[in-house]
């Protein structure tokens, strides 16, 4: 099926080309017969926005197309999507396997909330099948992975992990926020669900917080029912923004990826840079798999200056183009000294215990010209 929309699939309210923002909490019925027809399934209609809204539906249809999924469901944030999937698939005594290297708060949910509710959590030391084989021989309900992983951008062997999960009748969930469905579609490689923080590349302009889950109709329907109870819906204005973001996602990701590859190559050649983590570089441990899976390698580039935390601060302060802010995936380049931005509460030592290098700088490439970003980095590095 083509990922491009047909004319008759577009939102057609009053012939509006872009989907109207249905800024309404509730939907009206003509009379009790009309209501009954809705409840019996004879009439297709919206009921109350916690159960669904046409603006969200337009965004969901577009994302499902991109992910190659039966259906997608948007949430109030990426974390709402992650936590809702966990709550829906897990139960006390059920087991989840989650990698050591992943989005910090995903691991926090597993080790905090899920643990408290009696879910067994196994942390996978490495993204490898060998590492999976070292786990206790117990039934597993959920296997979780990220592609690329945050922050060293590892590319797990998704197909082998999917096979491992299948043999154990576990659900395999893949958070592909950093790849976006433009570069990698987890469902085509054996995942049961693909998660996106739409706050990042899908929204793409740092003006909306949103999340999404895509998969088969029966799982998404179950999540939709659960969402109506938990209430973690995306508001229609934000749904409009992510729908608009999806229209230019491919162009942005391709341009950003092309610039990121050149920046990664530049950094790798710089004498003051000790290590660059970018799957598009041959020096990256998963480069071969990255080439096999992806046509380009995304907009995040992580690098280190000899593991030196002070130097990382100095460089971040010296840069003039990228904004100094948490998050990534927007049109403006963003830079952060990762442990200080994302692990301030547990400090450098706590972050290092989780395998995060103290001097790691994470650079999210935006739409600026490569030469401008390179010259800015060059001047910043010169000052160290
Ligand atoms: C940002 C992010 C999340 C959380 O998304 P929010 O929209 O910030 O709640 C989850 N996973 C990954 C990989 C992310 O980068």
């Amino acid at each position: 099926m083509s990922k491009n929309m047909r004319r008759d699939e577009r939102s057609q309210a009053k012939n509006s080309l872009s989907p109207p923002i249905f800024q309404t909490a509730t939907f009206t019925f003509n009379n009790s017969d009309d209501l009954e027809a809705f409840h019996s399934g004879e009439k297709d209609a919206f009921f109350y926005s916690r159960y669904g809204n046409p603006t969200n539906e337009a965004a969901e249809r577009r994302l499902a197309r991109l992910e190659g999924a039966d259906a997608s469901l948007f949430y109030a944030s990426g974390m709402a999507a992650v936590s809702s999937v966990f709550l829906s698939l897990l139960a006390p005594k059920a087991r989840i396997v989650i990698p050591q290297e992943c989005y910090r708060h995903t691991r926090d949910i597993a080790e905090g909330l899920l643990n408290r509710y009696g879910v067994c959590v196994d942390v996978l030391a490495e993204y490898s099948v060998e590492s999976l084989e070292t786990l206790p021989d117990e039934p597993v309900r959920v296997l979780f992975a990220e592609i690329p992983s945050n922050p060293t951008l590892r590319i797990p062997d998704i197909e082998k992990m999917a096979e491992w999960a299948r043999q154990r009748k576990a659900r395999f969930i893949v958070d592909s926020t950093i790849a976006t469905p433009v570069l990698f579609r987890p469902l085509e490689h054996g995942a049961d669900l693909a998660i996106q923080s739409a706050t990042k590349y899908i929204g793409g302009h740092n003006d909306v917080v949103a999340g999404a889950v895509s998969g088969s109709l029966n799982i998404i329907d179950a999540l939709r029912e659960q969402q109506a109870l938990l209430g973690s819906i995306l508001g229609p204005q934000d749904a409009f923004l992510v729908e608009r973001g999806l229209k230019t996602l491919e162009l942005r990701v391709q341009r950003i990826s092309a610039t990121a590859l050149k920046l990664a190559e530049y950094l790798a050649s710089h004498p003051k840079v000790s290590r660059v983590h970018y799957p598009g570089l041959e020096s990256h441990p998963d480069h071969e798999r990255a080439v096999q899976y992806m046509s380009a390698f995304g907009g995040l580039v992580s690098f280190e200056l000899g593991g030196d935390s002070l130097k990382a601060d100095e460089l971040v302060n010296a840069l003039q183009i990228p904004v100094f802010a948490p998050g990534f995936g927007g049109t403006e380049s963003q830079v952060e000294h990762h442990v200080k931005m994302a692990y301030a509460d547990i400090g450098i030592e706590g972050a290092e215990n989780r395998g995060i290098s103290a001097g790691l700088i994470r650079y999210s490439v935006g739409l600026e010209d490569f030469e401008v970003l390179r010259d800015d980095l060059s001047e910043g590095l010169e000052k160290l």
Side-chain angles (χ1 to χ4, degrees):
M1 196 197 283
S2 149
K3 64 183 157 58
N4 299 314
M5 310 214 30
R6 290 199 319 261
R7 184 188 288 183
D8 63 356
E9 290 175 316
R10 294 182 185 279
S11 160
Q12 291 174 326
K14 302 281 183 210
N15 299 332
S16 168
L17 171 57
S18 51
I21 301 172
F22 284 85
Q23 191 64 40
T24 183
T26 195
F27 297 85
T28 60
F29 293 89
N30 296 328
N31 51 43
S32 50
D33 286 347
D34 194 28
L35 176 65
E36 204 166 304
F38 165 71
H39 279 312
S40 69
E42 217 174 286
K43 177 184 168 176
D44 193 20
F46 288 90
F47 183 66
Y48 183 76
S49 275
R50 185 155 38 74
Y51 298 82
N53 176 292
T55 312
N56 295 50
E57 188 182 72
E60 286 162 4
R61 224 183 273 157
R62 198 178 272 282
L63 177 62
R65 215 16 118 71
L66 279 178
E67 287 281 17
D70 293 350
S72 297
L73 177 62
F74 271 97
Y75 283 89
S77 68
M79 286 318 299
V82 170
S83 54
S84 299
V85 165
F86 287 172
L87 287 177
S88 128
L89 299 179
L90 291 159
K93 298 203 170 69
R95 185 170 292 274
I96 177 173
V97 176
I98 174 161
Q100 145 133 326
E101 175 164 309
C102 68
Y103 186 68
R104 185 207 162 161
H105 301 294
T106 298
R107 205 175 136 192
D108 287 346
I109 284 205
E111 292 183 307
L113 189 77
L114 295 182
N115 237 332
R116 196 144 51 79
Y117 289 155
V119 173
C120 307
V121 180
D122 281 319
V123 176
L124 198 60
E126 272 208 24
Y127 273 114
S128 68
V129 178
E130 295 76 49
S131 186
L132 280 169
E133 299 301 343
T134 65
L135 293 175
D137 191 19
E138 301 273 355
V140 174
R141 186 79 58 87
V142 170
L143 173 64
F144 183 87
E146 259 176 31
I147 180 167
S149 64
N150 191 17
T152 67
L153 309 169
R154 300 298 304 265
I155 307 288
D157 190 332
I158 295 293
E159 280 159 21
K160 286 220 174 105
M161 290 181 89
E163 180 57 29
W164 188 91
R166 209 166 20 246
Q167 283 167 4
R168 285 159 187 79
K169 298 192 165 50
R171 294 284 193 196
F172 183 31
I173 317 297
V174 176
D175 180 337
S176 48
T177 296
I178 299 176
T180 82
V182 173
L183 300 179
F184 188 77
R185 302 200 222 177
L187 305 175
E188 292 176 355
H189 297 265
D192 295 296
L193 288 174
I195 294 186
Q196 287 285 331
S197 164
T199 313
K200 314 295 169 44
Y201 294 103
I202 289 180
H205 297 72
N206 281 322
D207 55 8
V208 61
V209 173
V213 182
S214 303
S216 65
L217 203 52
N218 60 342
I219 311 185
I220 297 297
D221 278 349
L223 285 169
R224 201 182 287 283
E225 263 179 50
Q226 179 192 268
Q227 186 182 54
L229 296 177
L230 293 179
S232 48
I233 53 163
L234 188 66
Q237 307 246 7
D238 289 344
F240 174 86
L241 288 174
V242 296
E243 204 271 347
R244 188 172 64 169
L246 283 166
K247 292 181 182 181
T248 55
L249 180 67
E250 186 167 355
L251 283 176
R252 286 184 284 109
V253 167
Q254 279 171 356
R255 154 81 185 229
I256 283 170
S257 298
T259 309
L261 177 60
K262 286 194 269 184
L263 268 194
E265 284 167 348
Y266 167 74
L267 286 166
S269 72
H270 198 287
K272 288 189 181 164
V273 176
S274 58
R275 186 145 187 217
V276 182
H277 306 268
Y278 189 70
L281 295 182
E282 272 176 35
S283 59
H284 189 279
D286 305 319
H287 177 66
E288 253 178 63
R289 193 173 301 124
V291 170
Q292 179 199 330
Y293 280 169
M294 298 156 88
S295 55
F297 309 101
L300 283 188
V301 181
S302 295
F303 60 101
E304 300 173 43
L305 311 168
D308 189 326
S309 180
L310 284 177
K311 282 222 172 74
D313 273 343
E314 277 176 44
L315 179 64
V316 163
N317 289 334
L319 296 178
Q320 298 298 312
I321 305 288
V323 296
F324 178 45
F328 62 89
T331 53
E332 298 88 0
S333 290
Q334 274 171 267
V335 73
E336 61 175 53
H337 177 188
H338 196 56
V339 298
K340 293 225 173 150
M341 189 64 85
Y343 291 87
D345 56 327
I346 57 172
I348 288 186
E349 207 174 312
E352 280 183 324
N353 286 340
R354 285 176 170 224
I356 312 290
S357 162
L360 188 119
I361 295 169
R362 200 184 67 183
Y363 197 118
S364 165
V365 176
L367 291 177
E368 302 89 345
D369 293 331
F370 161 68
E371 292 76 13
V372 171
L373 299 177
R374 179 201 56 201
D375 293 350
D376 182 47
L377 270 168
S378 163
E379 283 164 33
L381 285 162
E382 194 68 36
K383 290 190 186 131
L384 301 187

